[in-house]
Amino acid sequence: MPQIPEKVQELTVGQLAARSGAAVSALHFYESKGLISSRRTSGNQRRFSRDALRRVAFVRAAQRVGIPLATIREALAELPEERTPTEEDWARLSRSWRSELDERIKQLNRLRDHLTDCIGCGCLSLETCVLSNPDDAFGERRSGSRLLVERRGPATNGAQPNRADGGGEAPCCGE
């Protein structure tokens, strides 16, 4: 990792990228989202204060654990302008994000468990498959996968039912 002399108080975008490990395009994106800021030189080049290194590290650490950028921006907005996030800031924010992360972990565990069931069955039933169509209101009234829109009365466009026996749905999951 390239060292930047202590006397240098501002970094170019290339220096910030080299020191932080973030791509230049990511730094431009972070800046466009208000996560970091720069000033412009008379030649219209970006210059970042040294504390941008800690802010980028803060953003990347929060992203790694799954915190959305909007939430990270809100957290950074609570800090005084251009203040470097401290260890205390991180501890406070990580406590507040913990329940959100715990809930996401529970959801991922449920998805993982249902994925095995779904692959074993192969039906992708709207009634029993939480992966193919979660929270489906139509699935509460009728079971099985649907390839056609539910119709009332005879088909008017010449479409045929999707089952050989004339029914509109294929049996699924032991129905």
Side-chain angles (χ1 to χ4, degrees):
M1 188 175 304
Q3 295 296 316
I4 299 170
E6 291 282 329
K7 64 182 180 181
V8 175
Q9 294 303 308
E10 290 187 318
L11 309 173
T12 65
V13 70
Q15 289 171 321
L16 182 58
R19 289 284 294 151
S20 68
V24 169
S25 59
L27 296 174
H28 290 167
F29 180 74
Y30 291 165
E31 186 176 18
S32 73
K33 296 299 180 187
L35 300 166
I36 59 175
S37 62
S38 67
R39 73 169 186 87
R40 296 293 182 135
T41 66
S42 59
N44 203 30
Q45 295 177 333
R46 289 177 170 89
R47 292 294 185 264
F48 296 89
S49 62
R50 286 183 75 94
D51 66 344
L53 279 168
R54 183 169 290 258
R55 290 177 79 87
V56 170
F58 180 93
V59 169
R60 294 187 71 193
Q63 279 186 295
R64 258 185 243 114
V65 297
I67 305 300
L69 284 178
T71 304
I72 297 168
R73 182 178 51 246
E74 289 170 9
L76 288 172
E78 293 175 8
L79 301 177
E81 184 67 28
E82 295 301 314
R83 194 189 92 203
T84 302
T86 64
E87 186 177 334
E88 293 80 25
D89 293 326
W90 182 256
R92 177 179 47 81
L93 290 167
S94 65
R95 279 191 304 274
S96 71
W97 293 337
R98 187 174 188 86
S99 63
E100 180 183 333
L101 291 174
D102 287 343
E103 183 56 34
R104 253 193 252 152
I105 289 168
K106 286 179 192 174
Q107 288 174 350
L108 286 171
N109 283 331
R110 281 193 302 270
L111 285 173
R112 179 201 58 215
D113 295 344
H114 289 300
L115 180 64
T116 301
D117 296 341
C118 191
I119 290 173
C121 170
C123 75
L124 299 177
S125 166
L126 291 180
E127 181 177 291
T128 61
C129 185
V130 297
L131 296 178
S132 68
N133 200 355
D135 302 322
D136 178 59
F138 190 66
E140 291 176 10
R141 294 185 301 176
R142 301 182 72 187
S143 62
S145 298
R146 280 160 198 78
L147 298 176
L148 301 174
V149 176
E150 179 183 22
R151 296 180 197 158
R152 301 205 187 274
T156 58
N157 66 357
Q160 298 297 313
N162 64 356
R163 276 186 50 199
D165 66 1
E169 300 174 47
C172 181
C173 295
E175 291 179 35

